[in-house]
Amino acid sequence: MTPSDPGTADYVVVGGGTAGCVLARRLLERTDGTVLLLEAGGDPDGIGSVTTPHRWVENIGAAHDWGYTYAPTEHVAGRTLFLSRGKVLGGSGSTNALVWVRGHRADYDGWAAAGAQGWDHASVLPHFRDCEDWEDGASEQRGAGGPVRIERPRDLHPVAAALVEAGVSYGMPYLDDVNVAEPCGVGPINTDASAGVRTSTWTGHLRPVLDHERLTVVTGARATRLVIAGGRCTGVEYVRDGQPAAVSASREVVLAAGAIDSPKLLLLSGVGPAAQLRAVGVDPVLDLPGVGRNLQEHPILGGVCFAAREALPPPNNNLEGTTAFWRSDPALAVPDLQFVAVQIPYVSPEVAARFPVPENAFVIAPGLMTVASRGFLELTGPDGGLHVQPNMLAEQADVDALVTSVEIALDLAAQPAFAKLVERRAAPGDDTSRAALVDFVRQAAMPYFHPVGTCAMGVHDAAVVDPQLRVRGIDGLRVADASVMPTITSANTNAPTAMIAERAAALVAAG
Ligand SMILES: Cc1cc2nc3c(=O)[nH]c(=O)nc-3n(C[C@H](O)[C@H](O)[C@H](O)COP(=O)(O)OP(=O)(O)OC[C@H]3O[C@@H](n4cnc5c(N)ncnc54)[C@H](O)[C@@H]3O)c2cc1C
C-alpha cells in the first residue's frame, strides 16, 4: 500500500470494501484519471478468518470489525443486536459468509419501475457478468474471466446435502445454479471462494492493480468529512495515525463506505435532514431529508436447532454450502424466504440461554428476504455518534412470514434426509402454537448483516442520489455502495453491491 498520500487525485474513492475495490479498479480501466482510495482498515491477507471460508464467523466482533450495534425495540424482544461491518480492504466482502447470489429479476425491475431508470434486470445483467469468473463458464446469464472467481462448494457437508435432499422431497425444484434470473428451489449455493480460499473484490479487482501508476491506496485512513464549497464536493478530510489530513479531488469524490458509513459521512458533512442536523450540532449544508432513512435489513433466525444423532464432521465450505429460495405464501410472485442449514449451532444468545443447545448440533436458519419494515440511522452528536435502528420485525407481515418460515423449517426437518441426522429438536421447544412461534421469532431474529437503502437512489423527494448515483444537489459527489439500493434485494447483498459499483464506474466514466 502506498505509505503517503499525494494530497490530490482526479477521483477520490472513500472506502475500500466490496464496492470501493471494484470502483478503484474500473476507474483506472475506464478513465485516464488518477485514483486515490481511502480505507480505514488495513490489509486482510494473512488473517485466517478472512481467507478461510468456514472461519468467517470469527470475523464478527474481531479487531477488523467496526462493531456497530442496532438499537433495541420491543419487536425483537428488547435486544441490542450486533451489526458486523468489515473494517479492512475488501470491507464486509472480506469478512462475510461468502454467499454470492444476485436475487430475483423482479428486484431490479422494481428499482427501475420506482424511478431508478437504467437499473432494470436487463440493464444490470452485463455488470453482474463483468464481475465474475463462474466455474461453468460464460452464458447469457453468467460471466467468465471476470475478477471474482465463483464456484459451487465441493464435498458437501452432510447437513448441507440434507437440505437439498429434504428440499426436493418437500417439493422444491432442484436448482443447479442459484443465480438464474428467477431463483426458486434448492441447490448448491454459489460462493466467492476457490480451492478453499476466499475470493473477493479485494483479491480480484484491487490487489492485482496495486502497483498501477495512477493508483494510490491509503490504508488506516478514516474519512471524517467531505469538503463542500459552493455546492461542489472538492475533497475529503481524514485521520491517519491520529493526524488530520486532506485530499482534494479534481473530478469526483465517490463514497463507498457502506450503508452505515456513507450516510454517516454525508450527515457529518452537513448533508441530510437539516432540522435533525441542527439538533445535534451540525451546520446543514444541504437539506436532503432521505440521508440515513429507508434502512432495510434481512432478519435471519438463529435458529431452528437440532441435536445431531451422531458426531457431525468438522464444518466446511462457508458453513452452509447449499440454500433454498421459497415462498411463505404460494401466491407470492417472488420467493420471500431463504433457507440455509448451518453446520454449527448458530443460534441467538437468547435462544441459547432459553434452550439447552448441545455443541454437536446444527440449525436450519430461515431468512426473510422481502421486508416490509423500514429503519433509519441518525447522528447523536457532531463527532459521529450514531443511533442505528433497523426496526426489524416492526411490520406484522414480516413476523407472519417468519413464523411460516419456522413451520417450513420444521417440515423440512421432518423429511427423511434430515430425520436420519437428528437426535432431537433443541429449539424451538414443544409448544409450536402460533403465539409461541411469534415469541420464538422475536428472540431468534438476528441481522443477516445486510444493511442497505440509507442513500437511496431515485427521483422522488426522499432520494439521496439520482439514477446516475449523483448526490442530488451537490456536484462532484456520488455514492456507489449498498446504501443506494432503493429496496433490498431478495437475496444476500454482496454480489448486488459489486454490480452497483461496476455500473457506477461506467456512469462516472460517461461523465
Ligand atoms: C459478517 C457478515 C456476513 C455477511 N455475509 C454475506 C454473504 O454471505 N453474502 C452476501 O451477499 N453478503 C453478505 N454480507 C453483506 C455484504 O458483505 C455487504 O452487503 C457488502 O459487503 C456491502 O458492500 P459495501 O461496499 O457497501 O460496504 P463494505 O464492504 O462494508 O465496505 C465499506 C468499506 O468502507 C470502509 N470505511 C467505512 N467508513 C470509512 C471511513 N470513514 N473512512 C474510510 N473508510 C471507511 C470500511 O472499512 C469498508 O472497507 C455479510 C456481511 C457481514 C458483515
Side-chain angles (χ1 to χ4, degrees), residues 14-19 38-41 56 60 66 84-88 90-93 95-99 221-223 256-259 261 265 448-450 481-482 492-495 497:
V14 180
T18 295
L38 293 175
E39 166 55 42
W56 69 265
I60 301 172
W66 285 87
S84 181
R85 303 277 78 207
K87 186 180 187 179
V88 70
S92 304
T95 62
N96 72 13
L98 301 96
V99 174
R222 183 174 55 84
D261 285 285
L265 261 177
Y448 231 124
F449 308 134
H450 294 166
D481 58 24
N492 315 55
T493 48
N494 196 39
T497 304

